[in-house]
Every structure is written in structure tokens, then in C-alpha cells.
Amino acid sequence: MIPDNIDISQILVDGDYVAAEEMQKAQKSAKDERLSLADYLLDTGMITKDLLGQAIAEHFGVAYADLNSDPPERETVLKIPEDIAYKHKAVLFKEGKEENVIATDNPGQPDLQASLATLFPLKKIKIAYSLTGDIESVFIHYRKTLETRFSGILAKKGKIAPEIIDEIIQDALLYRASDIHFEPQDKDVVIRFRIDGVLHEAGRIAKEYYPNILNRVKVQAQLRIDEHFSAQDGAIRFNKENKTTDMRVSVMPTVNGEKIVIRVLSEYVRSFNLGELGLSLRDQKTINHASRKPFGMILVSGPTGSGKTTTLYALLQMVNRPEVNITTIEDPVEYKITGINQIQVNAQTNITFAKGLRAIVRQDPDIVLVGEIRDKETAEIAVNAALTGHLLLSTIHGNDAATGIIRLLDMGVEPFLLSSTLEIVASQRLVRKICESCRYTYHAKRSDLAKAIPDIDQFFNQEDITLYKGKGCKACGNTGYISRTCIFEIITISPEMQDLILKNPSGKQIWELAQKQGAKSLFEDGMEKVKNGITTIEELLRVSSPKE
């Protein structure tokens, strides 16, 4: 986001955006949490993205161009040829009769003015600063549709499969897709991207070219190309322009042919902190406190695709220090983290969660992550590991936090062992965030909301309620949403909760006690994010509902 030659700390202190003493504390905290200084300042709210851009613009002595809130039209952007735009990271921000405003992330480039003068010989050129990420988002206008590019690749009659796959993956990264689907149908293969949890069609390929594409993916993922009737899993490392992206590949036979799903493992997850996940300050302190203990169990509950693994990796980032031995057993290892020993479950070599975990506890670990507790054997070993001096992190499938406790008891874990080892059970869901570029306020009647939210009085007292939505713009692909955050439900195992677990309680009894002790449900946490303009009521109701 920030050019390497810029000292952001000095810029912000000199411009009175951040006090020198506060900056020193921020630099130390950023180093401790293994974050860049810019990311730490943004995450903690010490500065906003716009203030950061304005401060750097002042350093260069130019205006700040906010490409997010005022994105240029496609026709305007394309007036700078693609090669020149990419070379100089330059965008035509505003076009006037006598003057053009050009946004770039490096206003001090020596040959920038000369290149622009050739493009716009009759106009004065004014240079403005914009953040690198915002400029790269605007570059999406240079991308032709996948079908158009596919046609060009086919016309060249070269190596079709590698080029088509390359184009698809690059588009997926550009649109921040979490998954790429290759879905064979009768006559063609549909390419779909999952963006912010929702699938969108990206293009189609004639079915005659699919066998080569399928084989190419299998070879890259180190799968068997002669196997067509069994599910296969593998991994690909995609390298482009000095950027490396890890991807997980799943191939599954269907009646129309083998379907491919590629999970894109985002690099930024490795530097996630708890605030970015959507945890409130109170919940962050709760989890921070539990993660500092030398032993015990922290459990994250939720369905597939709810972000459980991301939360656990954020926790690992917090506790990952040279003096601590951290070992994980996962299926699969999604993100590789320096300083952590990561083990892949492998049925062929007889490394299961249970057997791998049993071996890990003999490896002198301080902290152990078990990708998922699926059965009684794994659960019992995990609980015993937490009891004998290890901090254990894991996930379990369940609809809410209380269900996580009930599932462990149903698996046969002894209540007295569970009550003495469990520290925290969290449940979570992912919700789409309102696009900041097109967010607006609107008024709703409490009586209307009561139809969908029976206990509406718990959240709103007034009849006329101010809420937020996204209109839909180019920045968010006209969806009104961009990116995602989590809603959480956290149960802390207090002495009273320990006593209750000993009695083999129901999920309802567990939640009633947790609620008395101040726990908020998924829906309640989501409503806080609705009130703060982070997400919408419609999006919250899509993934959660009020507890009965």
C-alpha cells in the first residue's frame, strides 16, 4: 500500500496526525503483533485510510485523490493506455477542458510528466496522490471479459490450457474471489467466482477444451490424471509478478464430467489480528486473556465456510514467538506460517487427527492447534493435552457456542475433564460489509422491522430508525457490499459454568447462564454491526436469527 521509500511514521508525526509518543507505542505494538505500521494504525483506528492518503499527499506536496468515494468512469480511465498506466501506476482521475488530474502512488517519478504530456499535449497536467491499493482497484477497467480473452487465446492456437487457467486465476485474484468453480455442463463449462460469499458467473468455455484444462490443473496440483471416478485433493502455488498465492484444489466426478473447485488462500490472513476479524474490544480482551494462559482449550464453533480457521490463525499470530513451540495438525494445511510446525493429515500414511495429536504431545509443544475435533478419540486426546500443560486451539461443527460444549459431551468427553480444561467457546458467521464508496442512510419503521425481528424492542426504542445500505457502484460490482467481517458469540467458562458442565446440561441451560454473565448472541453482535453501518439487516438475517 505504501511505497518503500516513505517513512510513514515521520510523515504522520510531522503532519500532527499522530503524536510522537503515540507513534512510538504504535511502532512497538505493530512489531509485537507482526503487522506493518500502516496496517496497525488503520486497524486500531488511530488514523483512517483517507487521513493516511492525505498525509502522504502533503508529504509529496500534491492533492489527495480519493478513488474509493469518487471513482472515475471506465471511459475516463481508458484514456491512459494500459502499458503507461501500469508502468507509472497512474489513473486519469478528473478530466477538464484545460486541466487533467492524474492520480499516482509516486508523484516524484522522473519521467511521469513527459509521458502524460505526450498523451494530453493540449492540457495542463496536475498530479495527485492516491494509495496503491486504490489505484490497482481502478485498473480493473483494463480487463476484458474472460470470453473475449478466451477467444484471443484460441485464435493464437498456442498452449491453450495454461493461458486460459492463468487468465481465470488472475481475474479471481483481482475480484477478491475466495473460490473458483469449473462446472461442466452439457455443451460448455461454466466458470464461477465466489466473491464475499456469493457465487457469480465469470465466463464459459467450450467443453471440447476442458479435458486439457482439467489435466493441466491435475498436473499442477500433483493429482492423478488417469483417475476420473474418485474425488482428489491437491494444492497449487500460483506465481505472478513477484506475488505468490497458495491454492487448494478439489476435483470431484459429476454426471457431466469432473468438477474443479479451487480455494484461493489469501496472503493477508497470515497477518490478520482480532480487531480485523470483527471482534469487539471486550471480546478481544477476553480472547487475549485466554490465549496468554499456559494451558487450557480455546474452541471455535460454526459451519463450514464461517471463517473458523482464519480466527485460529489470527490467534496463532498473536502467540507466535521464538521462545514458544507451536505445532498444528490440519486437514489441509491452508496457510503456511513461519515459525510454526505444521502437519498435514494423511490417511495413506496413517496420520489422522487422533494419531497425529498423540505424536505431537510427545514433541514438547507449548501450543497445539487441531484443525477439527471430529470424533471421540481426538476429543479425549485434545482435552488431556489441554489438561497436561498445553494451550490447545481447535474447531468443532455446531450452530452456536453452547452446541460446541454439548457436542464434546456427546462424543464422550468426561464432564469433569471438560469443565477443568475449557477456557472459551466461540461461535461465528461471516457477513458481507456495506461498500463504503456507496453507503447511504435510510429510515425504517420499527413496526416493519418487528415482522422479521420479534424482539425488536431489545435493539431499538424509537419508531423511526436510521439504518445503512449500499446503493451499488463500480467499486463493489453494483452489489452494495464489499469484503466480509465476522459476527461472534463467545462463552467464557466461569466457575459457575464449570459447575453447570458437571451436570451434563442442555444447550439452552448453558446459554441462559452465559447470557446472565454478559454473553451476546450471534444475532445481538450482528445487530451492533447493523447499527454501526457495517452490514445490513438483510445480510444479518441471511446468516443468523434471534435466539428463541
PDB file of all heavy atoms in Angstrom, residues 375-394:
ATOM      1  N   ASP A 375     -14.133 -36.670  16.348  1.00  0.00           N
ATOM      2  CA  ASP A 375     -14.532 -37.946  16.947  1.00  0.00           C
ATOM      3  C   ASP A 375     -14.096 -38.012  18.403  1.00  0.00           C
ATOM      4  O   ASP A 375     -13.378 -37.135  18.912  1.00  0.00           O
ATOM      5  CB  ASP A 375     -13.923 -39.112  16.161  1.00  0.00           C
ATOM      6  CG  ASP A 375     -12.421 -38.968  15.972  1.00  0.00           C
ATOM      7  OD1 ASP A 375     -11.727 -38.746  16.978  1.00  0.00           O
ATOM      8  OD2 ASP A 375     -11.943 -39.055  14.827  1.00  0.00           O
ATOM      9  N   LYS A 376     -14.544 -39.053  19.068  1.00  0.00           N
ATOM     10  CA  LYS A 376     -14.290 -39.213  20.496  1.00  0.00           C
ATOM     11  C   LYS A 376     -12.798 -39.314  20.797  1.00  0.00           C
ATOM     12  O   LYS A 376     -12.312 -38.689  21.765  1.00  0.00           O
ATOM     13  CB  LYS A 376     -15.002 -40.475  21.005  1.00  0.00           C
ATOM     14  CG  LYS A 376     -14.789 -40.724  22.491  1.00  0.00           C
ATOM     15  CD  LYS A 376     -15.503 -41.990  22.959  1.00  0.00           C
ATOM     16  CE  LYS A 376     -15.234 -42.245  24.448  1.00  0.00           C
ATOM     17  NZ  LYS A 376     -15.909 -43.461  24.926  1.00  0.00           N
ATOM     18  N   GLU A 377     -12.055 -40.067  19.992  1.00  0.00           N
ATOM     19  CA  GLU A 377     -10.629 -40.273  20.266  1.00  0.00           C
ATOM     20  C   GLU A 377      -9.873 -38.945  20.211  1.00  0.00           C
ATOM     21  O   GLU A 377      -9.090 -38.628  21.109  1.00  0.00           O
ATOM     22  CB  GLU A 377     -10.038 -41.270  19.255  1.00  0.00           C
ATOM     23  CG  GLU A 377      -8.594 -41.645  19.576  1.00  0.00           C
ATOM     24  CD  GLU A 377      -8.002 -42.603  18.565  1.00  0.00           C
ATOM     25  OE1 GLU A 377      -8.665 -42.893  17.542  1.00  0.00           O
ATOM     26  OE2 GLU A 377      -6.875 -43.063  18.803  1.00  0.00           O
ATOM     27  N   THR A 378     -10.129 -38.156  19.152  1.00  0.00           N
ATOM     28  CA  THR A 378      -9.457 -36.859  19.024  1.00  0.00           C
ATOM     29  C   THR A 378      -9.851 -35.947  20.178  1.00  0.00           C
ATOM     30  O   THR A 378      -9.015 -35.236  20.752  1.00  0.00           O
ATOM     31  CB  THR A 378      -9.820 -36.189  17.686  1.00  0.00           C
ATOM     32  OG1 THR A 378      -9.539 -37.085  16.615  1.00  0.00           O
ATOM     33  CG2 THR A 378      -9.017 -34.908  17.487  1.00  0.00           C
ATOM     34  N   ALA A 379     -11.147 -35.933  20.511  1.00  0.00           N
ATOM     35  CA  ALA A 379     -11.642 -35.080  21.597  1.00  0.00           C
ATOM     36  C   ALA A 379     -10.960 -35.417  22.919  1.00  0.00           C
ATOM     37  O   ALA A 379     -10.528 -34.522  23.661  1.00  0.00           O
ATOM     38  CB  ALA A 379     -13.153 -35.225  21.722  1.00  0.00           C
ATOM     39  N   GLU A 380     -10.842 -36.710  23.232  1.00  0.00           N
ATOM     40  CA  GLU A 380     -10.253 -37.121  24.506  1.00  0.00           C
ATOM     41  C   GLU A 380      -8.767 -36.762  24.574  1.00  0.00           C
ATOM     42  O   GLU A 380      -8.283 -36.286  25.615  1.00  0.00           O
ATOM     43  CB  GLU A 380     -10.446 -38.623  24.716  1.00  0.00           C
ATOM     44  CG  GLU A 380     -11.892 -38.993  25.038  1.00  0.00           C
ATOM     45  CD  GLU A 380     -12.086 -40.491  25.218  1.00  0.00           C
ATOM     46  OE1 GLU A 380     -11.218 -41.257  24.731  1.00  0.00           O
ATOM     47  OE2 GLU A 380     -13.088 -40.891  25.841  1.00  0.00           O
ATOM     48  N   ILE A 381      -8.039 -36.965  23.465  1.00  0.00           N
ATOM     49  CA  ILE A 381      -6.613 -36.630  23.454  1.00  0.00           C
ATOM     50  C   ILE A 381      -6.432 -35.115  23.576  1.00  0.00           C
ATOM     51  O   ILE A 381      -5.544 -34.627  24.291  1.00  0.00           O
ATOM     52  CB  ILE A 381      -5.936 -37.153  22.172  1.00  0.00           C
ATOM     53  CG1 ILE A 381      -6.068 -38.665  22.062  1.00  0.00           C
ATOM     54  CG2 ILE A 381      -4.456 -36.770  22.161  1.00  0.00           C
ATOM     55  CD1 ILE A 381      -5.676 -39.217  20.709  1.00  0.00           C
ATOM     56  N   ALA A 382      -7.299 -34.359  22.879  1.00  0.00           N
ATOM     57  CA  ALA A 382      -7.219 -32.901  22.930  1.00  0.00           C
ATOM     58  C   ALA A 382      -7.452 -32.386  24.344  1.00  0.00           C
ATOM     59  O   ALA A 382      -6.706 -31.539  24.847  1.00  0.00           O
ATOM     60  CB  ALA A 382      -8.242 -32.293  21.970  1.00  0.00           C
ATOM     61  N   VAL A 383      -8.480 -32.907  25.001  1.00  0.00           N
ATOM     62  CA  VAL A 383      -8.794 -32.475  26.364  1.00  0.00           C
ATOM     63  C   VAL A 383      -7.658 -32.841  27.318  1.00  0.00           C
ATOM     64  O   VAL A 383      -7.260 -32.039  28.178  1.00  0.00           O
ATOM     65  CB  VAL A 383     -10.130 -33.100  26.832  1.00  0.00           C
ATOM     66  CG1 VAL A 383     -10.318 -32.905  28.332  1.00  0.00           C
ATOM     67  CG2 VAL A 383     -11.288 -32.478  26.074  1.00  0.00           C
ATOM     68  N   ASN A 384      -7.108 -34.026  27.171  1.00  0.00           N
ATOM     69  CA  ASN A 384      -5.995 -34.427  28.031  1.00  0.00           C
ATOM     70  C   ASN A 384      -4.742 -33.597  27.770  1.00  0.00           C
ATOM     71  O   ASN A 384      -3.985 -33.300  28.700  1.00  0.00           O
ATOM     72  CB  ASN A 384      -5.689 -35.919  27.844  1.00  0.00           C
ATOM     73  CG  ASN A 384      -6.627 -36.790  28.660  1.00  0.00           C
ATOM     74  OD1 ASN A 384      -6.538 -36.831  29.886  1.00  0.00           O
ATOM     75  ND2 ASN A 384      -7.555 -37.458  27.990  1.00  0.00           N
ATOM     76  N   ALA A 385      -4.525 -33.225  26.509  1.00  0.00           N
ATOM     77  CA  ALA A 385      -3.376 -32.363  26.187  1.00  0.00           C
ATOM     78  C   ALA A 385      -3.535 -31.007  26.864  1.00  0.00           C
ATOM     79  O   ALA A 385      -2.562 -30.448  27.404  1.00  0.00           O
ATOM     80  CB  ALA A 385      -3.270 -32.194  24.671  1.00  0.00           C
ATOM     81  N   ALA A 386      -4.758 -30.472  26.830  1.00  0.00           N
ATOM     82  CA  ALA A 386      -5.026 -29.181  27.480  1.00  0.00           C
ATOM     83  C   ALA A 386      -4.881 -29.290  28.996  1.00  0.00           C
ATOM     84  O   ALA A 386      -4.518 -28.323  29.666  1.00  0.00           O
ATOM     85  CB  ALA A 386      -6.424 -28.697  27.116  1.00  0.00           C
ATOM     86  N   LEU A 387      -5.165 -30.466  29.525  1.00  0.00           N
ATOM     87  CA  LEU A 387      -5.105 -30.684  30.975  1.00  0.00           C
ATOM     88  C   LEU A 387      -3.669 -30.823  31.466  1.00  0.00           C
ATOM     89  O   LEU A 387      -3.360 -30.515  32.623  1.00  0.00           O
ATOM     90  CB  LEU A 387      -5.905 -31.939  31.331  1.00  0.00           C
ATOM     91  CG  LEU A 387      -6.158 -32.239  32.807  1.00  0.00           C
ATOM     92  CD1 LEU A 387      -7.062 -31.171  33.413  1.00  0.00           C
ATOM     93  CD2 LEU A 387      -6.791 -33.612  32.957  1.00  0.00           C
ATOM     94  N   THR A 388      -2.770 -31.292  30.578  1.00  0.00           N
ATOM     95  CA  THR A 388      -1.396 -31.603  30.998  1.00  0.00           C
ATOM     96  C   THR A 388      -0.390 -30.529  30.590  1.00  0.00           C
ATOM     97  O   THR A 388       0.770 -30.824  30.310  1.00  0.00           O
ATOM     98  CB  THR A 388      -0.958 -32.967  30.422  1.00  0.00           C
ATOM     99  OG1 THR A 388      -1.146 -32.954  28.987  1.00  0.00           O
ATOM    100  CG2 THR A 388      -1.767 -34.090  31.027  1.00  0.00           C
ATOM    101  N   GLY A 389      -0.842 -29.286  30.514  1.00  0.00           N
ATOM    102  CA  GLY A 389       0.112 -28.188  30.339  1.00  0.00           C
ATOM    103  C   GLY A 389       0.273 -27.653  28.941  1.00  0.00           C
ATOM    104  O   GLY A 389       1.321 -27.075  28.627  1.00  0.00           O
ATOM    105  N   HIS A 390      -0.719 -27.824  28.075  1.00  0.00           N
ATOM    106  CA  HIS A 390      -0.641 -27.275  26.724  1.00  0.00           C
ATOM    107  C   HIS A 390      -1.842 -26.362  26.473  1.00  0.00           C
ATOM    108  O   HIS A 390      -2.950 -26.637  26.940  1.00  0.00           O
ATOM    109  CB  HIS A 390      -0.640 -28.387  25.671  1.00  0.00           C
ATOM    110  CG  HIS A 390       0.399 -29.437  25.894  1.00  0.00           C
ATOM    111  ND1 HIS A 390       0.148 -30.602  26.599  1.00  0.00           N
ATOM    112  CD2 HIS A 390       1.696 -29.491  25.530  1.00  0.00           C
ATOM    113  CE1 HIS A 390       1.254 -31.336  26.645  1.00  0.00           C
ATOM    114  NE2 HIS A 390       2.214 -30.689  26.011  1.00  0.00           N
ATOM    115  N   LEU A 391      -1.605 -25.295  25.725  1.00  0.00           N
ATOM    116  CA  LEU A 391      -2.720 -24.480  25.250  1.00  0.00           C
ATOM    117  C   LEU A 391      -3.171 -25.090  23.936  1.00  0.00           C
ATOM    118  O   LEU A 391      -2.379 -25.218  23.000  1.00  0.00           O
ATOM    119  CB  LEU A 391      -2.285 -23.026  25.032  1.00  0.00           C
ATOM    120  CG  LEU A 391      -3.375 -22.082  24.528  1.00  0.00           C
ATOM    121  CD1 LEU A 391      -4.487 -21.935  25.561  1.00  0.00           C
ATOM    122  CD2 LEU A 391      -2.803 -20.711  24.197  1.00  0.00           C
ATOM    123  N   LEU A 392      -4.423 -25.504  23.862  1.00  0.00           N
ATOM    124  CA  LEU A 392      -4.922 -26.207  22.683  1.00  0.00           C
ATOM    125  C   LEU A 392      -6.012 -25.390  21.997  1.00  0.00           C
ATOM    126  O   LEU A 392      -6.972 -24.944  22.637  1.00  0.00           O
ATOM    127  CB  LEU A 392      -5.462 -27.581  23.068  1.00  0.00           C
ATOM    128  CG  LEU A 392      -5.760 -28.472  21.856  1.00  0.00           C
ATOM    129  CD1 LEU A 392      -5.154 -29.850  22.023  1.00  0.00           C
ATOM    130  CD2 LEU A 392      -7.256 -28.569  21.604  1.00  0.00           C
ATOM    131  N   LEU A 393      -5.862 -25.172  20.699  1.00  0.00           N
ATOM    132  CA  LEU A 393      -6.840 -24.457  19.882  1.00  0.00           C
ATOM    133  C   LEU A 393      -7.466 -25.442  18.907  1.00  0.00           C
ATOM    134  O   LEU A 393      -6.759 -26.276  18.323  1.00  0.00           O
ATOM    135  CB  LEU A 393      -6.175 -23.328  19.084  1.00  0.00           C
ATOM    136  CG  LEU A 393      -5.180 -22.419  19.804  1.00  0.00           C
ATOM    137  CD1 LEU A 393      -4.582 -21.410  18.827  1.00  0.00           C
ATOM    138  CD2 LEU A 393      -5.838 -21.703  20.958  1.00  0.00           C
ATOM    139  N   SER A 394      -8.771 -25.374  18.713  1.00  0.00           N
ATOM    140  CA  SER A 394      -9.399 -26.268  17.752  1.00  0.00           C
ATOM    141  C   SER A 394     -10.753 -25.726  17.306  1.00  0.00           C
ATOM    142  O   SER A 394     -11.237 -24.714  17.829  1.00  0.00           O
ATOM    143  CB  SER A 394      -9.570 -27.670  18.341  1.00  0.00           C
ATOM    144  OG  SER A 394      -9.933 -28.595  17.320  1.00  0.00           O
TER     145      SER A 394
END
